[in-house]
Amino acid sequence: MDLEALRHGNFATLGTAINDWSTMHKQLKQLETRARDDLRAKAYRAKWAGVNATVSREFIGKTADEFGDAVSQAASILAILRDTRDELAKYRDELNEAIDRAWNKKLTVVGVAGGGFKVYVNAHPEPPGSEQAMKDTVDELQGILDKATTSDSTAARALTALANQADHGFSGARYGDRDAAANALKKADEMAALAKDARKLTPEQLADFNRTLAQYKNDELFSAQFATSLGAEGTLQFWTDMSSLHLGASGSELQQLREFQKNLSTTLATATLSDSDGMTAWKQTVIDESSKVYKSDNPAYPMRGPMNAMGFQVMSSLMGHGRYDTEFLDAYGKKLLKVDMAPGGGPGMSTNDVWKAPNQLTDLVFGDEDGQDPMVGFMKALSHNPEAATNTFADKQVFEHTLESIRYTDRDTAVASALEAAVTGVPEGEKLTGPVQPHSQAQVGIMRNVMAAVADPDGGASLVTKETAESFGDMAAAYMPEISNTLAGNGAESIFRTTSEDPGGLERTDVQRFLYETARYAPGRAAIILGESIYTSSVMEAHIANPDLYKGNGHDKDALLKTIGHNAGLIEGIVGRSVADAHIEGEIKGQNDENDALKRKGDLMKSFVAAGVGVGTVALVGAQTSAQAMTGAAASGFFGGVAGMAIDRITEGRQLSGALDSALYHSAKDLDNSRDSVITQTQQAAVDSINRHKSNLDVEHARNTVRMAVEGGWLQSDGDLESSHVRPSA
């Protein structure tokens, strides 16, 4: 900072910029509210067709999100400008006060070419102590200029970094003041310096490294600066060295490394969201170096020799946490899958041998798995990025290979989670606080492929295991609108409300077989039961709250209740018969598994319902507090009030009974219990809806209509399964 520039600094122009950004921030906040509550809400509720269904809705949704990022970036810029202006004005005043004090000591301060300054005595003879006074004045003035320089340069660096984060659009990074942004960049440089040589990391430094990553792992400026400072190859070598140096860690060391790996993974995921030149190069280099073999040795074991890991294995081992950039995952996955699919044979065969090599690192993922199969980490990354997951599995060949590969590898849980994200649009483990987009054509197509694979009579059932059943059950729950429309057939669209782009896009026989196989495992069964109950309850409430929704048969409510009840009986009948057949084959070990699964899954789904999300992507609107929200809820077939009560009835009231020592007898008894449960549940949904919305429908008549309809659907499920599936009870 030049002395004369600060001494005579006029910050009026900077003040004008601050006022402009303040106005901009307020206007952007208004636009964000309109984009979120009006533009995106209408787009999600609209019935799109053709190109609009696949392009326009997604574009509008992303555009609405951009307004949120614009607000964040404007707020950060405003805070940085304001802090910098205030600090520079303060330093200007301090400088002038120091110069005035120097004058009182008979000292003159003048600027010189290049921005420096000189101090000299302006009286003769020199007053006593003038030499020390000059030295003190120089130190004071230089200290003020240094602070002003730091203020100015860190502001410039932070503003430049913010602007560089997004090649198009806006960065979501948000900082309340200039120091927060500057400190993030400073800390990133410090941590990158520590990671330059993993062998020199002391336990204390590693602990500090871990704490810093935990604090900044979601900070866009920190993450991008850290990754670019370390470099792509440096990042891969660092983790190779860490894995080698800590091979076989246990106890507190293992716990620390697991936490460190989680924080590092999330940090790198956040970094990939940046479009800065440095991060663009980083992402491309990671992909380019994915087939390179990285080597590392542990000085404590000199006879062991260097351990090896491919770039794919190292990078994938750091993909278990955080949300990686979609374009990066698309490009990375394309190259990874090309290698994974290279061996001959049928889909998925021999893939396990691709990633095994001599002297290979086995602690790339501390405490969970060996990290040798990079598809595991990649699938975990897809489970946290539904858009990338949908892109990946939309390729039929990739889908078939990946799903079939679970027969020959240990990647089954990761693949199932990635498929769940792909078809539902819900990231694994994410706490949803609002509605998500309707199912797209591509998502329904992937779900159709999943069902067809499981329904395949030639071994498809073996794809459902204790590792995959819960994800398959979640997928079924999320697709209850499409399942209901498919089972009911043409003409039911006005009853089974949904904004799905392809409500009837599933295959009836595949649906039945998929539900049957998935229901054989308690977690999958719990998800189906809860999903059916939530959707039945909410669609029942939607129609009773808004009688104009259904116009068939002159608003015949009996036809409406019969169709909904019959569908509930049909779905639950398939589930009940799956359980009964599993009893016969001795595959059910006890009743606690189902009760535990229902309770655990019910708690999760109830939190979704409370947020207006429902189960998976069934719900498209939030809690109904206004006429507009009521209309939106009715249009999508989702209401949360009765659905919440339905979950409570299941999780608090459903109990399995009886020992399972006489399989056929108890299977029949369980079938009776299951039938009675779904009758009661569906009846109560109707009663709750009538009472909640003060409908003029007769309660007892509604109960009897629902009872007969559910029994009809229940009986039909037996015949449908007999014609589509070989069963032990046949």
Side-chain angles (χ1 to χ4, degrees), residues 683-704:
Q683 285 178 324
Q684 197 57 46
V687 173
D688 288 342
S689 299
I690 291 170
N691 292 335
R692 185 179 176 86
H693 298 282
K694 297 180 173 56
S695 170
N696 58 6
L697 286 174
D698 181 76
V699 169
E700 290 307 314
H701 177 74
R703 286 171 58 85
N704 191 51

Side-chain angles (χ1 to χ4, degrees), residues 261-308:
Q261 185 166 17
K262 177 181 178 180
N263 291 331
L264 179 59
S265 173
T266 306
T267 299
L268 295 177
T270 304
T272 64
L273 302 178
S274 169
D275 291 327
S276 67
D277 291 343
M279 276 310 301
T280 299
W282 187 95
K283 287 179 277 191
Q284 187 57 53
T285 303
V286 165
I287 296 170
D288 293 342
E289 296 295 314
S290 56
S291 296
K292 175 182 174 181
V293 175
Y294 285 80
K295 298 179 181 293
S296 182
D297 54 24
N298 188 329
Y301 304 98
M303 301 300 294
R304 191 185 64 184
M307 303 294 286
N308 305 325

Side-chain angles (χ1 to χ4, degrees), residues 528-547:
I528 295 172
I529 290 171
L530 284 158
E532 180 279 314
S533 297
I534 289 171
Y535 184 64
T536 295
S537 298
S538 71
V539 82
M540 183 89 73
E541 184 177 7
H543 284 291
I544 290 176
N546 186 352

Side-chain angles (χ1 to χ4, degrees), residues 621-694:
V621 293
Q624 286 67 55
T625 57
S626 68
Q628 182 179 7
M630 290 282 283
T631 302
S636 66
F638 178 80
F639 275 68
V642 173
M645 290 186 277
I647 296 174
D648 286 338
R649 279 194 298 274
I650 292 176
T651 57
E652 297 174 8
R654 182 186 173 99
Q655 294 292 328
L656 298 181
S657 60
L660 303 180
D661 54 347
S662 178
L664 187 59
Y665 171 78
H666 283 295
S667 70
K669 184 174 182 180
D670 287 342
L671 275 173
D672 287 340
N673 289 343
S674 298
R675 181 198 60 195
D676 292 345
S677 293
V678 68
I679 289 174
T680 301
Q681 182 76 307
T682 312
Q683 285 178 324
Q684 197 57 46
V687 173
D688 288 342
S689 299
I690 291 170
N691 292 335
R692 185 179 176 86
H693 298 282
K694 297 180 173 56

Side-chain angles (χ1 to χ4, degrees), residues 390 421-425 437-448 479:
T390 301
V423 302
T424 64
Q437 289 194 44
H439 296 146
S440 66
Q441 289 272 359
Q443 288 176 311
V444 177
I446 297 170
M447 186 65 187
R448 183 168 57 247
Y479 274 74

